[in-house]
Amino acid sequence: KPDNLADDFSQALDDIRSKLPESLHSPKVALVCGSGLQGLAEQLVDPVLVPYADIAGFGESTVHGHKSALAFGFLGKTRVPVVCQLGRFHAYEGHDMQSVVYPIRIMKLLGASVAIITNAAGGLNPDLVEVGTVVALVDHVSLPSLTSWNPLIGRNRDALGPRFPPLSDAYDFDLRLEAFRALHDLDLPPDSLKEGVYAWVAGPSYETRAEQRFLKAAGADCVGMSTVPEVIAARHAGLRVLVLSLVTNMVVATPYRYAGTVAAAEREGKGEIVDAADHIAQAQEEVANHQEVLDVSARRADDIRALVERIVERTFA
Ligand code: HPA
């Protein structure tokens, strides 16, 4: 039986287009906004918000600080029609993989040829990134999708893409090049944008220290809980992909192995030399938290917004 896309998607496309002026029926760019980076939608000219609740097949996003709508509008001096996904679906919310990638597929079917995805990530490689660095992804390491959580598992949607899509070229070189040119156009610090590798973890718990070292050893420069499912679905459907990961916290990866030393020092009466309180305080500073992620996103949001707008202008000049 041939794959009939219309069976699954046509209602959603009708729902969306019925709310939009003709000029926004076929957005060229699909934007996906990460934690604290939804301000991108305020940059849109003549915006129209279509709530997920009005679109067939959409779930509900539950993360604090995320909205639940597609924002349509024009971006940049050249008024490029775009659609911006406000509020994404993460596997850790309990959504199945099909729901996680549904919006990217819808945006592709509406007409997008380019996906620009932003996210917040922990920095694993201090030689490359610091808090505030934006990483243009060149590649990813994804234990979940290597082993079981791949959004393409199940009957292949032949009408969207092939059964066995390659991912060795997942992160588009030309879009990355435009990102670096845009950085220069905007006079932003040259070392505030780097190229690096992202590790996807399912979350919602942050990584243990041993897991942090493991991911770093596997070649990842940063780590986060989103994006890879969308990238896989986007590449499957033939979208060109740019991902900008904002490093919101450094992941320290140092072992936490002091109890034996402290106890031995106590026995030998050297308690003042090895102070357990110092170690504990230090270790607590190294713990990731969601507020820190939102704070850094807020601080860097304007630059990322400007960068994305300039990249879109350059790509559709
Ligand atoms: N780990 C995983 N996901 C994240 C992090 C982190 O340290 N920071 C922001 N998202």
Side-chain angles (χ1 to χ4, degrees):
K1 189 167 154 246
D3 183 21
N4 190 357
L5 269 188
D7 288 350
D8 290 352
F9 294 97
S10 69
Q11 184 60 51
L13 300 182
D14 287 350
D15 290 344
I16 293 167
R17 288 191 168 130
S18 72
K19 306 249 173 355
L20 295 174
E22 187 93 25
S23 55
L24 286 173
H25 277 200
S26 293
K28 292 182 193 291
V29 184
L31 302 167
V32 182
C33 305
S35 291
L37 300 170
Q38 307 204 356
L40 199 56
E42 283 151 34
Q43 198 112 333
L44 302 183
V45 176
D46 299 335
V48 181
L49 232 64
V50 182
Y52 292 166
D54 296 347
I55 310 172
F58 266 71
E60 217 174 285
S61 168
T62 64
V63 184
H64 181 67
H66 281 256
K67 286 183 195 135
S68 289
L70 293 181
F72 292 80
F74 300 93
L75 194 60
K77 287 188 208 63
T78 46
R79 285 181 59 91
V80 179
V82 304
V83 51
C84 182
Q85 181 189 349
L86 298 177
R88 58 218 295 197
F89 303 102
H90 303 87
Y92 62 72
E93 295 172 90
H95 297 294
D96 60 36
M97 284 284 105
Q98 298 309 308
S99 310
V100 173
V101 302
Y102 189 70
I104 200 88
R105 288 177 162 169
I106 292 287
M107 294 190 286
K108 154 77 189 181
L109 292 171
L110 285 168
S113 61
V114 165
I116 303 180
I117 302 175
T118 62
N119 64 34
L124 289 168
N125 180 359
D127 295 333
L128 186 77
V129 301
E130 59 187 16
V131 169
T133 305
V134 176
V135 183
L137 299 192
V138 299
D139 209 335
H140 70 233
V141 174
S142 168
L143 294 176
S145 58
L146 273 177
T147 53
S148 58
W149 261 357
N150 189 308
L152 304 182
I153 288 175
R155 183 172 67 95
N156 185 53
R157 305 309 310 261
D158 297 330
L160 275 173
R163 173 77 289 188
F164 299 110
L167 289 179
S168 50
D169 60 349
Y171 298 89
D172 192 271
F173 175 83
D174 292 324
L175 290 173
R176 251 184 292 145
L177 192 55
E178 295 297 15
F180 282 94
R181 288 171 177 156
L183 190 81
H184 185 259
D185 291 347
L186 296 167
D187 262 334
L188 292 170
D191 61 358
S192 63
L193 180 65
K194 294 285 171 61
E195 290 175 282
V197 175
Y198 178 87
W200 179 41
V201 293
S205 47
Y206 289 107
E207 307 70 46
T208 67
R209 288 163 191 263
E211 288 162 351
Q212 293 164 2
R213 292 196 295 279
F214 173 77
L215 293 172
K216 195 175 168 195
D221 299 302
C222 55
V223 52
M225 302 174 193
S226 67
T227 300
V228 164
E230 288 104 319
V231 169
I232 294 174
R235 290 304 296 151
H236 176 244
L239 285 159
R240 296 167 60 203
V241 170
L242 174 69
V243 178
L244 300 175
S245 290
L246 171 64
V247 175
T248 54
N249 56 287
M250 286 308 282
V251 161
V252 286
T254 50
Y256 183 36
R257 215 178 273 160
Y258 312 118
T261 319
V262 171
E266 270 172 13
R267 278 196 304 275
E268 291 161 28
K270 293 191 217 146
E272 72 284 358
I273 300 174
V274 182
D275 187 345
D278 278 356
H279 287 310
I280 293 165
Q282 161 89 19
Q284 274 167 354
E285 263 182 39
E286 295 169 347
V287 170
N289 71 81
H290 189 54
Q291 192 54 48
E292 181 183 27
V293 170
L294 294 179
D295 290 347
V296 175
S297 299
R299 188 152 61 68
R300 299 285 287 129
D302 286 347
D303 284 348
I304 292 175
R305 241 195 296 208
L307 202 54
V308 170
E309 175 168 339
R310 187 74 193 121
I311 293 165
V312 169
E313 278 175 358
R314 280 188 150 282
T315 304
F316 293 94

